[in-house]
Amino acid sequence: MPFNTKIPLLLKKAYKEELKQYNHYLENGQYSNAWHHLERSHIVGQSYPLEHTYSHWLMLKFGFMQKDTKEVLGQIIRLLVGGWKSFIDHVPLGNTGGANVPPLKSMIIPNDIKNLFNSK
């Protein structure tokens, strides 16, 4: 069984860009746009333990900032199990990672991210 330990360079670049966009919108008080890019960072990094866990950590912090109890509780649960599921590459592809979606539900992957996955 192969283990995912390191994100490929192309995906790492896209992951970092999503986090850059997240921070930009967060700093400008555009929370909906910030969340959108945080979800995208989750999709890109969810198969890799460090990136997956970090996306959930940021979602937890975002939940606290928004005073969203459901999000906070959902992220605590995801932080407890998400990283090891990435390590063994057992993640629901396309899942956006928020507490508003079931943690094991696969979702449609945006085309630009799907193209990244196909070219890694």
Side-chain angles (χ1 to χ4, degrees), residues 7-114:
I7 189 170
L9 189 57
L10 184 63
L11 293 182
K12 185 172 189 167
K13 183 179 175 185
Y15 177 81
K16 285 185 174 187
E17 181 60 31
E18 294 300 338
L19 292 181
K20 180 180 172 185
Q21 292 297 315
Y22 163 71
N23 284 313
H24 167 77
Y25 287 115
L26 186 65
E27 290 168 2
N28 289 291
Q30 297 178 27
Y31 301 120
S32 179
N33 288 333
W35 182 255
H36 171 74
H37 286 283
L38 195 49
E39 288 178 319
R40 288 175 55 86
S41 79
H42 180 270
I43 295 168
V44 172
Q46 75 183 96
S47 290
Y48 306 93
L50 293 177
E51 290 77 11
H52 189 189
T53 301
Y54 188 63
S55 290
H56 282 299
W57 172 250
L58 293 177
M59 288 179 170
L60 175 65
K61 287 173 52 175
F62 190 89
F64 274 118
M65 187 182 66
Q66 297 294 307
K67 297 179 175 79
D68 184 338
T69 304
K70 179 181 176 186
E71 194 63 50
V72 168
L73 294 175
Q75 292 309 321
I76 290 170
I77 293 166
R78 285 160 174 81
L79 279 165
L80 293 173
V81 297
W84 70 268
K85 291 187 76 85
S86 297
F87 186 67
I88 60 172
D89 200 20
H90 187 68
V91 294
L93 293 179
N95 187 291
T96 54
N100 61 328
V101 297
L104 300 177
K105 179 180 181 181
S106 293
M107 300 172 75
I108 296 172
I109 301 171
N111 285 333
D112 62 325
I113 295 175
K114 190 184 301 183

